Amino acid sequence: MRERRLSPRLMLLGLTLLAACAAGGPNVVDSAGRSAPSRGEIAASGTVFGNYLVGRFAGEELDTKVAADSLLAALRADPDQPDLIHRAFIASLMDGRPDALRLARRLPDNASAQLVLLGADVAAGRWAGAEARARNLHRQGPIAALQPVLLAWSQAGRGQTDQALATLRPLAEQGRFRALNALHGALIADAANRPREAERFVRLALADQPEPTLRLAMLSAGILERAGRPAEAARLLDQIAGSNDELALAVLPPARRLVLTQRAIEGPADGIAEAYVALGSALRGQGLEEMATLMARLALRLRPNFAPALLLLADTLAEGERLEAARETLLLVPEGDPLSGPAQLRQAGLLDRLGRSDEAEALLRRQAEALPGVPQPLTRLGDLQRRRGRFAEAVLAYDGAIARSQPIRPADWPLFYARGIARERSGNWPGAEADFLQALALSPEQPFVLNYLAYTWADMGVNLERAKTMLEEAAAQRPQDGNIADSLGWVLFRMGQIPAAIAQLERAVELEPRNATINDHLGDVYWAAGREREARFQWQRALTMDPEPAEAQRLRMKLDSGLPRPARR
């Protein structure tokens, strides 16, 4: 099978879990120590527990505005309830409200509250207080990774650059978070105009991360440029620019000049915000969107309109299906910031998800006109049109993107793959086949291209031996991919290898039990094996899985009349 339809991502953690992790708050009791009432009692009571429940539910749904409104209202009615103080603080912090600072002062044992207070000390230049808070942070959980960095930046704020670098140096040379500590050692030295030390630290960070993230590459390139290493700085940025990823826009002219000539970090507040975003991005990569949101909010308290924090916050909001809030967050990215280009591409994606495809297309066309040599806006336009079933228009968009990608490089294989799909769906099989073969010439082992081309050949009954070889290679790379297992079963069926096809398709159904096409294929192979009752069961089952209208019609016809022998499509 060519492509799978993904089910919506389930949210595994809510704000209540975040709250429990942050402080281990007590069970719900009122200020007199009584246990929380039942639902019926809540309905009959005043507004405290009503607002509390609304706030908790909104928090679990990631609606931070309603959560903060409700929990702050409950707290006003019962101002000394410990659990309410804690939850209202978390909700206020997650919604970016100033109330978080006031409430943080009432939570001496809460690590998140201490970070808010540390930020207030930094903003006010109270470096002794900031250093003391950094030293006293909890040494367990995700925040523990930041403790040395926060301590070092507080020391740098006091003018103790040597002490700050001494704090980070042993951790930069060994330990779990070498790259983080080395990078911030480099940033502290760079902010103090000590280019040689900054270069030494940044080399440690890059050695630990041979394929640097965008942010590590940008920060390191600026430091290397100021250390008199322009060729190395350029190579770092070229590595990012050479991809088809949207983040490549952040290191193309004129954004590249800003990266190389302007310091991204001017002082401790900027450095601490940078550390929060780094941790938040890592947590988001582990599926901890709520903790990532908290880190983004902490960064924005120190550095308003900090583009990396805004992108991180927008990503977590989008993960929680708060699409309009995510789009509005991206609008705050300052025009001219290196990340403004990627932010616009993400805005277009959010507009499309919001059902505002015309606005999304207009934004992408404007960006394509503003960046005439850049393929990404036209690539995203083609993707949008392909998702909407406008395959002929998508082909034209991909044509433009490919024309902008000259000379063609191995990293350009996704463009040919995407155009191949659009050509195949618009009825131009020769052009599609040429695109798939070009994608494989650029990147011979891409399992998705191998799968799509081989499955189509199998469906057409051509090049079956080659298709089988290609699918075996794809399956070896992705043994748990039910779609590839289905394609391999289908080519075996086309080759007349019925027992092997049955075994392969039964495995595909185990991997993707709710996929209509795979269940349909298994039914066809059962029928070919004379197992008609099982075949009808699979076809009937496939009908319950929301198949495409044409597929549903074929399933009904097979249930009525079966298949001729030998089965062919």
Side-chain angles (χ1 to χ4, degrees):
M1 196 182 82
R2 299 186 187 101
E3 293 182 320
R4 99 175 81 190
R5 288 176 292 177
L6 295 175
S7 61
R9 186 176 183 275
L10 299 177
M11 297 302 296
L12 300 178
L13 297 171
L15 280 175
T16 53
L17 178 57
L18 172 64
C21 291
N27 294 328
V28 181
V29 294
D30 65 15
S31 56
R34 296 178 297 236
S35 299
S38 67
R39 288 187 180 218
E41 291 171 327
I42 290 168
S45 70
T47 62
V48 176
F49 283 106
N51 280 323
Y52 174 84
L53 288 181
V54 169
R56 285 199 62 173
F57 179 78
E60 290 165 359
E61 294 296 306
L62 299 185
D63 188 341
T64 57
K65 180 181 185 306
V66 172
D69 285 344
S70 301
L71 290 168
L72 287 169
L75 186 61
R76 284 193 292 272
D78 192 356
D80 297 320
Q81 218 281 18
D83 187 66
L84 272 179
I85 296 170
H86 170 70
R87 293 186 185 277
F89 162 72
I90 292 292
S92 298
L93 179 56
M94 297 288 274
D95 201 47
R97 301 201 183 191
D99 304 85
L101 177 59
R102 171 177 58 85
L103 295 172
R105 297 189 178 102
R106 304 181 65 185
L107 296 167
D109 297 323
N110 183 294
S112 299
Q114 293 308 303
L115 292 179
V116 170
L117 295 173
L118 186 151
D121 286 339
V122 169
R126 297 189 294 264
W127 302 113
E131 183 176 345
R133 291 189 192 281
R135 289 187 184 280
N136 292 329
L137 279 175
H138 294 305
R139 301 299 178 90
Q140 296 179 342
I143 293 173
L146 292 182
Q147 195 268 346
V149 170
L150 300 181
L151 175 59
W153 277 114
S154 300
Q155 292 166 334
R158 300 181 73 176
Q160 298 175 343
T161 303
D162 290 337
Q163 183 60 49
L165 297 180
T167 296
L168 294 177
R169 188 171 288 110
L171 300 170
E173 294 171 349
Q174 58 183 353
R176 287 182 59 198
F177 306 107
R178 290 190 299 273
L180 176 69
N181 291 297
L183 175 62
H184 282 270
L187 294 172
I188 289 170
D190 187 49
N193 292 309
R194 294 161 71 162
R196 295 277 78 81
E197 288 176 278
E199 180 186 351
R200 284 194 291 273
F201 271 105
V202 90
R203 289 191 186 283
L204 291 172
L206 293 170
D208 193 64
Q209 301 286 333
E211 295 184 2
T213 63
L214 170 68
R215 194 62 183 164
L216 176 56
M218 292 171 68
L219 294 170
S220 299
I223 289 170
L224 290 171
E225 179 80 12
R226 285 184 287 279
R229 310 294 185 188
E232 292 181 69
R235 279 197 296 272
L236 270 178
L237 300 185
D238 288 344
Q239 186 176 343
I240 302 294
S243 73
N244 279 315
D245 191 272
E246 63 188 21
L247 296 178
L249 299 186
V251 295
L252 296 174
R256 178 177 291 224
R257 288 192 291 276
L258 294 176
V259 171
L260 293 174
T261 60
Q262 293 187 3
R263 273 193 173 88
I265 304 296
E266 295 294 341
D270 291 353
I272 292 172
E274 193 77 51
Y276 289 153
V277 172
L279 178 59
S281 298
L283 292 170
R284 179 173 174 262
Q286 299 173 28
L288 301 175
E289 282 82 7
E290 292 83 2
M291 282 292 289
T293 301
L294 186 147
M295 289 295 121
R297 287 296 190 187
L298 285 168
L300 290 168
R301 293 181 71 87
L302 285 169
R303 196 173 177 183
N305 296 333
F306 182 34
L310 291 169
L311 263 64
L312 173 60
L313 178 58
D315 286 344
T316 61
L317 290 169
E319 289 282 348
E321 295 300 317
R322 295 189 60 205
L323 303 182
E324 184 58 35
R327 190 187 73 85
E328 291 172 356
T329 299
L330 291 173
L331 291 173
L332 299 175
V333 174
E335 186 176 352
D337 188 282
L339 289 175
S340 61
Q344 287 185 49
L345 287 178
R346 295 188 188 185
Q347 285 178 45
L350 291 167
L351 285 168
D352 184 42
R353 290 174 64 184
L354 286 162
R356 295 157 62 179
S357 298
D358 290 346
E359 293 177 65
E361 287 195 40
L363 176 57
L364 290 170
R365 291 186 190 280
R366 287 196 302 271
Q367 194 175 29
E369 291 176 7
L371 300 169
V374 176
Q376 282 86 348
L378 291 178
T379 302
R380 298 302 185 272
L381 178 61
D383 293 343
L384 184 156
Q385 292 167 333
R386 180 162 56 90
R387 285 193 299 271
R388 298 289 176 182
R390 293 157 50 193
F391 299 113
E393 294 174 76
V395 169
L396 294 177
Y398 292 132
D399 287 345
I402 289 171
R404 293 179 174 203
S405 299
Q406 304 301 322
I408 298 299
R409 303 152 302 166
D412 293 320
W413 73 265
L415 273 174
F416 291 93
Y417 175 53
R419 190 175 69 174
I421 294 172
R423 280 177 161 175
E424 186 265 335
R425 297 293 176 88
S426 59
N428 178 8
W429 172 245
E433 187 177 42
D435 274 342
F436 294 138
L437 291 172
Q438 176 65 34
L440 288 175
L442 293 170
S443 188
E445 298 181 354
Q446 284 299 327
F448 301 110
V449 186
L450 291 168
N451 179 49
Y452 201 107
L453 177 57
Y455 174 83
T456 307
W457 279 343
D459 222 28
M460 296 169 66
V462 301
N463 301 328
L464 294 180
E465 285 290 349
R466 186 177 178 188
K468 178 173 176 286
T469 300
M470 290 164 60
L471 287 166
E472 287 171 342
E473 181 179 345
Q477 293 184 62
R478 297 180 63 85
Q480 301 304 311
D481 192 315
N483 298 287
I484 293 175
D486 170 74
S487 296
L488 181 54
W490 196 239
V491 76
L492 291 168
F493 172 50
R494 290 298 198 187
M495 296 174 77
Q497 300 177 23
I498 302 303
I502 288 174
Q504 192 66 35
L505 285 165
E506 286 178 340
R507 182 170 181 276
V509 167
E510 290 177 4
L511 293 170
E512 292 278 349
R514 296 294 303 169
N515 189 297
T517 301
I518 297 177
N519 281 274
D520 179 18
H521 284 169
L522 181 57
D524 287 7
V525 180
Y526 279 154
W527 184 274
R531 297 161 62 174
E532 296 182 7
R533 181 177 297 178
E534 291 166 278
R536 292 185 186 279
F537 174 81
Q538 290 301 139
W539 293 333
Q540 185 63 55
R541 190 164 181 261
L543 263 180
T544 68
M545 298 176 183
D546 192 27
E548 297 293 333
E551 188 176 8
Q553 181 61 27
R554 288 195 300 271
L555 285 164
R556 293 188 186 95
M557 291 174 62
K558 286 189 282 192
L559 283 167
D560 289 341
S561 307
L563 284 172
R565 289 189 178 78
R568 287 291 185 269
R569 288 200 170 188

